[in-house]
Amino acid sequence: MKYQDFYNDSLSDREFFWRKQAWSVRWFDFPDKILTQNAQGFYRWYEGGKLNTSYLALDYHIENGRGEQTAIIYDSPVTDTKLKLTYSELRDKVAKFAGVLKGLGVEKGDRVIIYMPMIPETAVAMLACARLGAVHSVVFGGFAAHELAIRIDDATPKVLLTASGGKEIERIVPYKPIVDAALEEARHQPDACVLFQRDFVTSDLKEGRDYDWNELLAKATPADYVPVDAHDPLYILYTSGTTGKPKGIVRDNGGHAVAMKYSMEYVYGVQPGDVYWAASDVGWVVGHSYIVYAPLIHGCTTILFEGKPIKTPDAGTFWRIIEDYKVKLLFTAPTAFRAIKKEDSEGIFHKKYDTSSLESLFLAGERCDVATLEWLKGLLGVPIIDHWWQTESGYPMISNMMGVEMLPVKPGSACKAVPGFDIQILDPEGKNCDTNIEGAVAIKLPLAPGSLPTLWNNDKRFRESYLSRYEGYYLAGDGGYKDEDGYIFITGRIDDVINVAGHRLSTAEIEEVLASHPAVAECAVMGIKDDLKGQIPVGLVVVKSNVRVSPPQLEKDLIQMVRDKVGPVASFKRAVIAARLPKTRSGKILRKAMRYIADGQEFAMPSTIEDPMVLDEIRHLMEKSKIGVAFG
Ligand code: COA
Ligand code: AMP
């Protein structure tokens, strides 16, 4: 099959194309309609379809002879643990834990927050929610109590699931104090918290609210899967937007199941039974889609890795896992390989292991820089595939389609649009940009199945954030261009979202924290280039005129505040005092200009700037503070 034919088919008759794809999953009731629009005009896929995602990921395979195949391999160098669960064992654990949730009153449509580390119980919890038709919302462990509280108040969960802690290399991260602080701050209180005690850290339980995971499990009766509508939500996953409040991306059951199956077959080109490894965290969309749902729905063996690419124990960990489990496809963020390359540029560790099972390496989360791509190509000798997507889509929107036809790789490009996504590059007037001219990445509606139908309880923000900039299009928030062969090159965010080690963060969220310091009059946070993490946030703060501060102490305080409020994942390590910030005549802070200065990039002086001299001051300040240029 040729990529171009497949792509053309996907757009010439969308309903026919996606009806065909829908046949690849087992529905209890096949949808009556393929594509519809609701009262608000938002597109919906597979109306009338009934299914259960947990059934598709587990019971379906057992019914079809895969019960004894390994479903999940848990490999945790930080706790020195390895464990394999077959599809039958995993289904039994999920059914039993669904019984625990049911016993706590969780029913179809109820929300459950999951704030847990990378352990099998986390995947069990997600699948148990799906089994009951409950809506899970996983919160990444690197977020602080305040971020957890925001999500608790927005999702209003009936139950919160957690563990006593996680391990960051050697550092123990107790989760319970964070959960307690979040519940203290949140207006909404769940009926119950269930905590999984880990060997290396124990937590006290609060009488009447907190329950021990294993104690409840011992008393539970397994619960069966509950058929849900295709449009019923499977999960909410919060992601950073351009304000301090994260966006609750909703994923529906029907479109998601079809999309997961579709992407495994056509984007990744893997078969049921293959070992598929996404080295990410279940707190991110990559973890939802490619650690838990897609590999299981497709009948693969998935790996849940609790560790880092380096230091757990060394830069050979990834290669060891590939050898141990005969991994066929690895997917991670380029930053992981920049970390490995920094420690082992000669690939000495790689030589110690047999990685011949690996057939392809996929990268996403940030643009894959050409140096990393070339290094990996030389080391592994397999296709290195950069592909582009977002929490919003839930699966790739630009990629080389390895299950269709592998196109030549162009370094710096994520390749071409995934069939189903009509990706265009638009100028400010909404016209298509010429070849090689940069514009906004926009997708002609409807988005393919599985993409977000809306934001949780917030249709208005959904419309405003994504649909209002260009009528009839979804605005991705990234810039990019297409070359003469139709390859798309993503150039970075066009809004105030930054990407730190493949983690998506909002500068507005960090600014809110800095601005709350009593000495700070105003501030700006921007992402500047970093050799390891791609970008790191740097804060520029203007101190109130009547306040005297020690700059090193203020920086230390601000760093701690961001760690306490947003979390260590923000990697906020620099705050610099400026006399003033560059602004337009209407008072808008020129963050983009400052970022360009920090990165040592050329830029056109904005005509609207109130006082161009400020930018020279900032340049001087950055150079003096050794920020920017040196990193660029
Ligand atoms: N719980 C608690 N703290 C966490 C955490 C978690 N789940 N995840 C990260 N953190 C902490 C880290 O310990 C670190 O704290 P520190 O400032 O005290 O050192 C901080 O958050 C920043 O974490 P991270 O960005 O992961 O940096 P790192 O220096 O620990 O590791 C990499 C850098 C590149 C090795 C790592 O980010 C990585 O492996 N990334 C690639 C894979 C990936 O997960 N991508 C996501 C999307 S695909
Ligand atoms: P997230 O929603 O956390 O997955 O982050 C999505 C954002 O990460 C996108 O909007 C891009 O800015 C960035 N991103 C993801 N994959 C790529 C890629 N392959 N190339 C460039 N940027 C990427």
Side-chain angles (χ1 to χ4, degrees), residues 205-264:
L205 301 180
K206 189 174 159 189
E207 183 85 30
R209 185 196 72 184
D210 301 342
Y211 299 89
D212 180 85
W213 189 289
N214 283 327
E215 278 176 23
L216 291 188
L217 210 49
K219 290 183 272 179
T221 354
D224 208 353
Y225 48 82
V226 175
V228 299
D229 288 333
H231 294 178
D232 282 335
L234 170 67
Y235 67 77
I236 307 165
L237 180 56
Y238 288 88
T239 190
S240 300
T242 51
T243 68
K245 194 170 180 276
K247 299 193 248 194
I249 306 295
V250 176
R251 188 85 57 222
D252 62 9
N253 275 276
H256 173 256
V258 175
M260 292 300 98
K261 189 85 183 127
Y262 170 77
S263 63
M264 290 301 272

Side-chain angles (χ1 to χ4, degrees), residues 239 285 364-367 386-392 478 490 493 499 504:
T239 190
V285 69
E366 49 165 341
R367 178 178 165 271
D386 181 8
H387 64 328
W388 174 86
W389 53 293
Q390 307 178 302
T391 307
E392 285 84 344
D478 281 36
I490 299 293
R493 296 289 305 193
N499 199 307
R504 177 167 158 183

Side-chain angles (χ1 to χ4, degrees), residues 261-537:
K261 189 85 183 127
Y262 170 77
S263 63
M264 290 301 272
E265 186 165 350
Y266 296 111
V267 177
Y268 298 105
V270 287
Q271 307 302 319
D274 287 344
V275 181
Y276 181 103
W277 179 26
S280 178
D281 189 288
V282 281
W284 306 112
V285 69
V286 176
H288 281 62
S289 295
Y290 296 108
I291 295 175
V292 181
Y293 287 113
L296 296 179
I297 289 174
H298 199 48
C300 290
T301 296
T302 184
I303 298 180
L304 199 93
F305 169 66
E306 188 182 27
K308 299 257 174 183
I310 50 171
K311 299 190 181 135
T312 56
D314 55 40
T317 308
F318 273 27
W319 316 133
R320 194 262 304 162
I321 293 207
I322 293 171
E323 175 181 296
D324 281 358
Y325 307 115
K326 306 273 173 290
V327 173
K328 182 171 172 184
L329 185 149
L330 168 61
F331 170 6
T332 191
T335 184
F337 286 110
R338 289 198 296 271
I340 293 174
K341 187 172 148 217
K342 204 168 155 203
E343 303 241 325
D344 181 27
S345 62
E346 301 296 314
I348 308 284
F349 278 107
H350 178 255
K351 289 197 184 81
K352 294 189 191 170
Y353 298 96
D354 173 8
T355 60
S356 58
S357 61
L358 194 72
E359 290 183 7
S360 55
L361 169 63
F362 278 76
L363 299 166
E366 49 165 341
R367 178 178 165 271
C368 180
D369 56 285
V370 178
T372 304
L373 185 100
E374 296 298 340
W375 183 75
L376 285 165
K377 217 166 78 183
L379 196 71
L380 299 174
V382 299
I384 313 293
I385 310 294
D386 181 8
H387 64 328
W388 174 86
W389 53 293
Q390 307 178 302
T391 307
E392 285 84 344
S393 64
Y395 64 114
M397 295 189 281
I398 303 176
S399 184
N400 216 320
M401 299 289 289
M402 297 301 277
V404 181
E405 175 196 17
M406 188 184 160
L407 299 175
V409 170
K410 287 198 189 189
S413 168
C415 205
K416 298 191 185 188
V418 166
F421 291 98
D422 184 356
I423 300 189
Q424 305 190 13
I425 308 292
L426 301 183
D427 71 11
E429 273 74 51
K431 296 204 187 67
N432 270 290
C433 291
D434 287 340
T435 300
N436 293 319
I437 300 295
E438 194 174 333
V441 177
I443 304 167
K444 199 162 188 316
L445 297 173
L447 296 174
S451 310
L452 82 169
T454 188
L455 294 177
W456 180 250
N457 278 341
N458 209 338
D459 287 344
K460 184 167 172 278
R461 191 173 179 197
F462 173 62
R463 190 186 293 285
E464 285 170 3
S465 307
Y466 302 106
L467 308 182
S468 60
R469 177 66 187 83
Y470 298 111
E471 186 63 38
Y473 287 85
Y474 163 88
L475 181 75
D478 281 36
Y481 61 90
K482 269 189 201 178
D483 75 1
E484 46 293 338
D485 299 322
Y487 278 65
I488 303 167
F489 291 73
I490 299 293
T491 49
R493 296 289 305 193
I494 51 175
D495 54 16
D496 294 327
V497 167
I498 59 172
N499 199 307
V500 182
H503 310 317
R504 177 167 158 183
L505 299 167
S506 151
T507 53
E509 228 162 332
I510 303 175
E511 280 173 11
E512 253 180 37
V513 178
L514 303 188
S516 70
H517 190 287
V520 172
E522 59 178 349
C523 63
V525 171
M526 60 212 160
I528 65 164
K529 272 192 202 153
D530 179 74
D531 285 346
L532 175 65
K533 299 196 174 188
Q535 280 187 306
I536 46 162

